[in-house]
Amino acid sequence: QDKKHKRDGLNDSEVQRVIERLDDIGTGNKATRLRGIFCLLALQGLRQVEITRLDVKDVDLVAKRAFILGKGRDDKEAVDLHPQTVEAIRRYMKAYKVKDGALFTSASNNHVRGRLTTRAVRGMVKELLTGLGIDKTTHGFRHYFTTTLVKQFKGNLLEVSQYTRHHSLEMLQVYYDRVKKEADL
């Protein structure tokens, strides 16, 4: 198996099942936070650590933009936000009364109002995926996002790299090869 990707990402039908489950779980605070995280994972392709590093000041809902401190980066990069992501984050911030500091905070009794950890993000997503019988990881959403872009931009990896913030085209080539192989089969 390819050493660069040990696990497969989610596919369209699995993401659709996640969306349906999120629609079914209601509008409580926990569901609202999970929707915000889901949108950042699936519609923006953010890594778990990028989500946990987000501060309120990094998100401009009017301009529909977020400033992300990416993996191995010293400076934050501007990322345009999908309209559904903007709405999900707006609802989350209102429900949790988030005005400054970390965008996503912990609800754990041991770490109340502290910054949400990557472990907590993985736990929430794992619970959601396991409940749907989907044996994938949180990072699988990033694979889904990147694969979708490779298909949408017909293999133009330079274009895709602008949205995924990958350091090298070599990693994107892995996605392209998988998409091409799937199409060939």
Side-chain angles (χ1 to χ4, degrees):
Q1 188 175 28
D2 191 330
K3 290 180 177 150
K4 292 191 183 346
H5 289 118
K6 293 181 174 83
R7 307 272 319 239
D8 286 330
L10 281 84
N11 60 40
D12 291 332
S13 68
E14 291 168 333
V15 169
Q16 186 58 44
R17 288 173 45 209
V18 170
I19 291 168
E20 289 167 4
R21 176 61 58 92
L22 289 172
D23 288 343
D24 290 344
I25 62 175
T27 58
N29 284 4
K30 187 176 177 182
T32 304
R33 179 168 71 165
L34 191 54
R35 273 189 199 87
I37 291 171
F38 165 78
C39 286
L40 290 168
L41 290 168
L43 302 178
Q44 305 303 147
L46 294 188
R47 296 172 179 96
Q48 299 162 68
V49 71
E50 293 169 341
I51 292 172
T52 63
R53 289 176 180 165
L54 275 174
D55 289 325
V56 172
K57 67 181 180 187
D58 296 331
V59 180
D60 184 345
L61 298 177
V62 175
K64 298 178 183 173
R65 181 170 282 175
F67 293 91
I68 308 299
L69 182 57
K71 176 181 167 185
R73 304 285 178 148
D74 293 328
D75 298 320
K76 294 182 179 183
E77 301 171 81
V79 172
D80 293 320
L81 297 176
H82 189 282
Q84 289 178 3
T85 303
V86 171
E87 187 55 33
I89 298 298
R90 182 176 283 123
R91 286 183 181 171
Y92 160 76
M93 289 175 72
K94 182 177 180 182
Y96 277 78
K97 298 176 177 66
V98 177
K99 294 187 181 5
D100 62 0
L103 179 62
F104 290 100
T105 57
S106 175
S108 162
N109 289 334
N110 298 332
H111 196 59
V112 173
R113 303 301 291 172
R115 187 175 295 277
L116 193 66
T117 65
T118 56
R119 182 178 181 180
V121 171
R122 272 192 312 277
M124 286 186 281
V125 173
K126 179 79 171 166
E127 182 180 334
L128 176 66
L129 295 177
T130 301
L132 291 167
I134 300 171
D135 185 26
K136 304 283 174 79
T137 65
T138 305
H139 195 72
F141 285 103
R142 183 160 169 82
H143 289 268
Y144 165 78
F145 177 76
T146 305
T147 301
T148 302
L149 288 177
V150 168
K151 291 175 184 176
Q152 190 73 28
F153 290 112
K154 297 176 182 20
N156 183 341
L157 301 183
L158 285 175
E159 189 81 26
V160 173
S161 71
Q162 293 177 11
Y163 295 100
T164 62
R165 300 167 331 281
H166 277 95
H167 288 254
S168 74
L169 292 182
E170 180 185 346
M171 180 55 74
L172 289 175
Q173 186 68 41
V174 173
Y175 289 98
Y176 176 76
D177 291 345
R178 282 190 174 183
V179 168
K180 187 170 181 332
K181 184 177 182 180
E182 184 181 296
D184 290 347
L185 289 174

